[in-house]
Amino acid sequence: MATFVKVAKRTDIADGGRMSVEVDGWAILVFRIGDDVYAVEDVCTHDGQPLTEGALVAGAVECPRHGARFDVRTGKALCMPAVEPVRVYNVRIAGDDIEVETPGS
Ligand code: FES
């Protein structure tokens, strides 16, 4: 059974913003796009760069190191040099809280 943990309040992340969190020792990047919230592993699959400082453009985060882009909804790698997707995590909204499924669940 999936386990979710609170990582932030909805008001903590502005529309188009993001927050770096750690869940069970995993670095996770949480994005808000409109009323929707997404969570991806904060590690580029090309060479391990954190995506924390990457620009968010049209629903994709761009790796600040070599420019790979990942769809934050699906994790899919959208351009080279990355070919593997980043891991995505289920997110749920519980009242005012943003909860992310723990990586191990
Ligand atoms: S480390 Fe991210 S594109 Fe190379």
Side-chain angles (χ1 to χ4, degrees):
M1 182 173 153
T3 303
F4 286 80
V5 296
K6 176 187 170 184
V7 295
K9 290 198 159 302
R10 274 203 294 190
T11 52
D12 290 340
I13 308 176
D15 186 7
R18 86 280 304 274
M19 177 179 283
S20 298
V21 301
E22 191 175 304
V23 177
D24 288 350
W26 295 78
I28 295 175
L29 200 48
V30 180
F31 292 94
R32 181 176 153 206
I33 301 174
D35 289 332
D36 297 321
V37 180
Y38 305 96
V40 304
E41 186 173 1
D42 192 7
V43 180
C44 179
T45 58
H46 174 237
D47 199 24
Q49 171 75 31
L51 299 169
T52 309
E53 303 295 330
L56 180 65
V57 179
V61 61
E62 183 176 277
C63 178
R65 191 151 153 218
H66 305 116
R69 282 181 286 112
F70 301 92
D71 187 318
V72 300
R73 292 161 287 215
T74 64
K76 182 178 179 183
L78 300 176
C79 69
M80 297 293 279
V83 293
E84 296 295 322
V86 290
R87 185 172 177 185
V88 294
Y89 301 95
N90 291 322
V91 175
R92 71 182 184 190
I93 304 299
D96 286 336
D97 296 336
I98 296 170
E99 297 180 344
V100 173
E101 186 175 3
T102 58
S105 64

